[in-house]
């Protein structure tokens, strides 16, 4: 089955712009859906506060490489917001110090995301998105200008499920 989605700007900060994946026919971005899974008062309040603190820091200083733990394949930019003592993961695609694309995430329920039914699709979507973006940058259909992604930000991917 093919699934269309787009990437849209969701927040502008001094040092970085935050984009997120929005699946076709859905109102909420993947980042918004991530936060909706963990409402205030849930058992992950401290972890969510930690993620929000990191997002604030990244907004002020930029999406510097040292802030992320790589999760995808070498060179694709797929990362997780670092949570040293938590099983909560928020996945993103770091295009540069000034551009960050958020996917979704959740509770790490296996030793690695590849073995998780709940997390693998989020990471694979970001890996596909990275591949699409690299291809479009190479053929001139996308441009990165400072904190902006300019060009065709609508994608279609084959879903395995």
């Amino acid at each position: 089955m093919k699934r269309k989605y787009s990437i849209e700007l969701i927040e502008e900060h001094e040092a970085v712009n935050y984009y997120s994946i929005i699946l076709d026919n859905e109102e909420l971005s993947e980042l918004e859906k991530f936060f909706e899974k963990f409402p205030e008062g849930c058992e992950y309040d401290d972890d969510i506060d930690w993620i929000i603190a990191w997002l604030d820091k990244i907004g002020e200083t930029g999406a510097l490489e040292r802030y992320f733990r790589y999760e995808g394949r070498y060179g694709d930019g797929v990362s997780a917001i670092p949570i040293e003592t938590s099983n909560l993961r928020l996945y993103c695609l770091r295009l540069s110090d000034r551009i960050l694309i958020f996917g979704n995430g959740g509770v790490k329920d296996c030793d690695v995301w590849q073995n998780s039914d709940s997390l693998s699709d989020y990471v694979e979507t970001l890996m596909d998105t990275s591949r699409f973006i690299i291809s479009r940058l190479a053929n001139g259909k996308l441009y990165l200008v400072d904190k902006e992604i300019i060009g065709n930000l609508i994608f279609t991917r084959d879903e395995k499920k």
Side-chain angles (χ1 to χ4, degrees):
M1 178 172 112
K2 294 200 180 282
R3 182 77 190 243
K4 277 181 89 170
Y5 64 96
S6 61
I7 295 173
E8 295 183 17
L9 178 66
I10 56 168
E11 283 187 26
E12 293 183 65
H13 294 269
E14 185 175 324
V16 66
N17 277 353
Y18 292 159
Y19 291 80
S20 187
I21 291 172
I22 300 179
L23 300 176
D24 201 28
N25 298 320
E26 296 199 13
E27 292 181 27
L28 298 178
S29 71
E30 290 298 287
L31 181 61
E32 292 168 315
K33 290 194 290 188
F34 171 80
F35 283 113
E36 278 205 342
K37 286 189 261 188
F38 305 101
E40 192 170 335
C42 77
E43 67 182 288
Y44 295 100
D45 271 356
D46 290 341
D47 300 322
I48 292 297
D49 288 346
W50 184 248
I51 288 172
I52 291 170
W54 270 107
L55 295 179
D56 290 344
K57 180 178 179 116
I58 291 166
E60 293 172 10
T61 61
L64 306 177
E65 278 188 81
R66 67 180 174 263
Y67 295 157
F68 301 91
R69 181 180 54 248
Y70 287 98
E71 296 281 342
R73 294 187 184 102
Y74 179 77
D76 67 11
V78 177
S79 304
I81 298 294
I83 304 294
E84 290 82 11
T85 61
S86 171
N87 283 332
L88 204 56
R89 301 289 184 263
L90 172 58
Y91 296 105
C92 57
L93 177 59
R94 182 189 169 277
L95 293 185
S96 71
D97 289 352
R98 314 250 315 142
I99 299 172
L100 199 56
I101 300 171
F102 288 97
N104 205 322
V107 177
K108 184 178 176 193
D109 55 3
C110 290
D111 55 339
V112 292
W113 65 262
Q114 293 91 332
N115 296 333
S116 171
D117 290 337
S118 63
L119 299 178
S120 61
D121 191 54
Y122 301 141
V123 176
E124 288 170 4
T125 298
L126 285 167
M127 289 169 52
D128 286 348
T129 302
S130 175
R131 185 173 44 84
F132 297 150
I133 287 173
I134 289 167
S135 174
R136 289 182 186 181
L137 287 169
N139 67 23
K141 292 184 179 176
L142 273 183
Y143 299 92
L144 304 182
V145 178
D146 192 32
K147 299 186 299 182
E148 292 184 65
I149 309 170
I150 299 170
N152 181 2
L153 294 175
I154 299 171
F155 305 97
T156 303
R157 73 183 288 261
D158 289 321
E159 291 188 328
K160 295 171 181 64
K161 296 175 186 174

